[in-house]
């Protein structure tokens, strides 16, 4: 049997994924998309529309801010920066995920 990734399982964690990526540095939208592909060895792809909806929600909630870059060549890019509130949300969501993972692992253990 081949393992497969349930997109439903990860869909609820899109904001946490975005926040985790922005912890290192500011990025523009398509760069975040590419980072997700790169980090997962192209095993997981979030649709751009899903990501951009996530950016809007996170910005509305005050977890990220955006600004326009001043590229001298090519198209202007909108960059995203994590806020203190976003850092706190990321830490809480990561803690919640680790707790959930522990519970699921306990429930899936085969009795010896």
């Amino acid at each position: 049997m081949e393992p497969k990734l349930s997109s439903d399982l990860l869909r609820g964690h899109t904001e946490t994924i975005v926040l985790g990526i922005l912890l290192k540095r500011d990025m523009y939208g398509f760069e975040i998309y590419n980072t997700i592909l790169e980090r997962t060895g192209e095993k997981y792809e979030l649709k751009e529309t899903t990501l951009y909806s996530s950016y809007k929600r996170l910005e509305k909630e005050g977890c990220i801010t955006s600004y326009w870059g001043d590229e001298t060549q090519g198209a202007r890019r909108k960059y995203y920066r994590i806020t203190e509130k976003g850092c706190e949300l990321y830490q809480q969501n990561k803690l919640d995920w680790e707790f959930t993972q522990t519970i699921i692992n306990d429930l899936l253990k085969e009795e010896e």
Side-chain angles (χ1 to χ4, degrees):
M1 243 187 296
E2 287 286 320
K4 61 182 181 177
L5 184 62
S6 167
S7 58
D8 288 340
L9 186 62
L10 282 178
R11 190 173 297 121
H13 301 281
T14 303
E15 280 85 5
T16 307
I17 293 167
V18 169
L19 292 172
I21 289 170
L22 290 174
L23 283 173
K24 294 220 184 265
R25 64 182 176 86
D26 299 358
M27 290 189 189
Y28 59 92
F30 193 66
E31 188 176 16
I32 295 169
Y33 169 84
N34 282 328
T35 300
I36 293 167
L37 277 178
E38 204 174 279
R39 284 192 187 176
T40 63
E42 297 189 10
K43 292 179 195 121
Y44 182 64
E45 178 181 10
L46 269 167
K47 293 181 180 163
E48 287 180 64
T49 52
T50 302
L51 279 172
Y52 283 96
S53 295
S54 179
Y55 303 152
K56 281 180 135 180
R57 273 191 306 278
L58 286 167
E59 193 163 24
K60 186 177 179 182
E61 293 168 6
C63 295
I64 63 173
T65 58
S66 64
Y67 60 92
W68 290 102
D70 58 350
E71 284 74 22
T72 54
Q73 297 176 331
R76 234 169 118 202
R77 295 177 176 150
K78 191 175 195 177
Y79 285 80
Y80 298 94
R81 172 182 295 137
I82 193 168
T83 64
E84 185 61 38
K85 183 177 180 182
C87 288
E88 291 169 9
L89 178 62
Y90 171 79
Q91 292 301 326
Q92 183 62 58
N93 287 354
K94 186 174 178 232
L95 188 65
D96 293 349
W97 169 253
E98 289 165 352
F99 178 71
T100 302
Q101 191 177 14
T102 300
I103 298 298
I104 291 172
N105 286 341
D106 289 344
L107 291 170
L108 295 179
K109 274 185 196 169
E110 292 183 22
E111 291 296 318
E112 295 177 21

